Amino acid sequence: MNQKPVYILGIESSCDDTSAAVLCNGKILSNVVANQEIHAKYGGVVPELASRAHQQNIVPVIQQAIEQANIDKKDLNAIAFTRGPGLMGSLLVGTSFAKSLSLALNIPLIDVNHMQGHVLAHFIIEEGQQKPPFPFLCLTISGGHTQIVKITNYFEMEVIGETLDDAVGEAFDKSAKILGLPYPGGPLIDKHAKLGNPKAFKFTKPRVADLGFSFSGLKTGILYFIQKQVKENPNFIEENLNDICASIQQTICDILFDKLKAASKQTGINHIAIAGGVSANSQIRSTLKSFEKTLGWTTYIPKFEFTTDNAAMIAIVGYYKYLEGIFAKENVVATARLKVSEQ
């Protein structure tokens, strides 16, 4: 018996990327992302500029996604959009457009938690991509979040460990800024780290109770270390860039996986996934994979295109909510702060 096609349009506008995707029964038909390069010269995302760019990009991006999916907008069964968390101005652009389009087409509106989108991106139907069974643990790591989440089913998620201050993405980007690398610096640290010695320099790991994380002290330690070395040798960064990046990245990896191993031991769960923008880091991916042999874990690593903010992950949450009949009301509002456990 053929399954009736369910077409979901996903809209993502939580930060500085405008994205739209069309999924049919969990399979991607299109996933269009418009990046905002204007923020690079400011060394970080400027919220006002981000929301303006979303206003410029949202119509052509959605139009392109529908065209690439080779469907008509009248074929859509529902519209899923990012309600939060994120930058308020950016979220408002996506929320307002989604509301208008759902009213115009007279189809259901589905609000999506951005962080749930990162987690459920593992359930997008892709050849060669294995779906994690419930329950599983997911390390969600990005510019704004560092969390260990226990996922019991599609909509039951519990944060069992999270950062007390800065997120891991901030630690990467701000460390890169200290080294004089342009924004976004995380991928550049990864690039240089591949050529360096991860044991060249030692940085103190913070002591945090239970499954909590902290990165503010690490950033300060890196800053003081660089300042001291540059005072003694003005060319220190240039002469040791690869080794510095490798040592920073190794320290961050150790912090993340020490806690993840503890979480697995506490819960008895050996199905482990990663999600979020920082999960694109090559060492984090390879280290997680190595634990399949050393710890007996079964690991789940998303494709690169599903690590950064994208609408396909919003659409897949929308798909599962559509199947359950979980729809938003017309008076739904964007929320800048939203926990992964909140619908």
Side-chain angles (χ1 to χ4, degrees):
M1 185 176 177
N2 292 329
Q3 186 179 6
K4 183 181 177 182
V6 175
Y7 295 101
I8 305 292
L9 170 67
I11 299 173
E12 155 60 18
S13 68
S14 65
C15 190
D16 61 333
D17 290 336
T18 313
S19 182
V22 176
L23 265 64
C24 179
N25 297 340
K27 292 184 179 179
I28 295 178
L29 300 183
S30 64
N31 189 26
V32 180
V33 181
N35 303 114
Q36 299 179 7
E37 297 178 0
I38 191 170
H39 304 284
K41 69 177 184 178
Y42 296 102
V45 177
V46 182
E48 180 62 28
L49 295 178
S51 56
R52 288 181 188 177
H54 283 304
Q55 288 178 316
Q56 294 171 344
N57 293 335
I58 194 162
V59 172
V61 164
I62 290 175
Q63 183 66 33
Q64 192 176 342
I66 292 172
E67 289 176 357
Q68 283 187 13
N70 199 28
I71 64 168
D72 188 275
K73 59 180 178 290
K74 293 179 182 178
D75 296 322
L76 294 171
N77 295 91
I79 296 170
F81 70 97
T82 302
R83 178 186 163 214
L87 301 175
M88 196 60 182
S90 297
L91 291 167
L92 285 172
V93 175
T95 302
S96 300
F97 194 92
K99 284 184 177 183
S100 301
L101 192 56
S102 73
L103 280 170
L105 298 175
N106 195 28
I107 57 176
L109 182 68
I110 301 172
D111 60 315
V112 173
N113 183 316
H114 178 85
M115 297 311 297
Q116 289 183 1
H118 276 302
V119 174
L120 295 189
H122 285 280
F123 292 87
I124 296 171
I125 298 174
E126 285 270 303
E127 191 173 342
Q129 288 292 110
Q130 190 179 1
K131 297 179 184 178
F134 300 117
F136 67 95
L137 297 180
C138 188
L139 177 66
T140 58
I141 41 180
S142 65
H145 295 82
T146 306
Q147 301 174 330
I148 300 174
V149 186
K150 179 183 176 183
I151 296 93
T152 305
N153 60 49
Y154 294 116
F155 306 115
E156 188 177 342
M157 303 183 186
E158 178 191 359
V159 176
I160 60 174
E162 62 185 330
T163 183
L164 306 179
D165 41 59
D166 299 332
V168 64
E170 292 177 82
F172 272 115
D173 285 340
K174 290 182 180 177
S175 296
K177 190 174 183 179
I178 292 168
L179 298 175
L181 298 174
Y183 176 86
L188 294 175
I189 285 186
D190 191 8
K191 178 182 176 182
H192 287 288
K194 292 175 182 176
L195 305 172
N197 174 11
K199 297 181 180 180
F201 305 106
K202 188 172 179 62
F203 299 105
T204 303
K205 293 189 289 184
R207 293 183 179 181
V208 184
D210 301 320
L211 300 178
F213 297 92
S214 172
F215 291 99
S216 63
L218 176 63
K219 290 188 313 181
T220 304
I222 292 168
L223 175 62
Y224 289 164
F225 170 80
I226 295 298
Q227 287 176 339
K228 180 176 181 293
Q229 297 299 325
V230 169
K231 191 174 181 179
E232 296 174 3
N233 174 14
N235 298 320
F236 177 76
I237 294 176
E238 185 180 340
E239 293 172 359
N240 299 276
L241 183 59
N242 293 337
D243 286 347
I244 299 169
C245 289
S247 300
I248 291 172
Q249 184 163 278
Q250 183 64 56
T251 304
I252 291 174
C253 275
D254 288 344
I255 293 169
L256 292 174
F257 286 111
D258 284 351
K259 296 295 184 175
L260 194 55
K261 284 186 278 189
S264 175
K265 189 174 181 179
Q266 282 185 26
T267 60
I269 298 172
N270 290 326
H271 289 275
I272 314 292
I274 54 174
V278 181
S279 67
N281 179 276
S282 63
Q283 186 172 347
I284 290 174
R285 296 167 84 91
S286 62
T287 302
L288 180 65
K289 197 71 180 172
S290 72
F291 289 143
E292 290 192 335
K293 290 184 178 179
T294 59
L295 299 177
W297 288 0
T298 303
T299 63
Y300 305 86
I301 300 173
K303 291 178 67 174
F304 281 106
E305 64 194 86
F306 303 138
T307 57
T308 53
D309 294 345
N310 67 93
M313 69 183 197
I314 303 304
I316 193 66
V317 180
Y319 173 64
Y320 284 109
K321 281 194 167 186
Y322 180 86
L323 296 181
E324 295 293 325
I326 305 172
F327 304 134
K329 296 180 180 179
E330 291 178 8
N331 62 350
V332 64
V333 293
T335 306
R337 295 183 181 277
L338 197 64
K339 294 180 181 180
V340 71
S341 57
E342 295 179 298
Q343 293 296 327

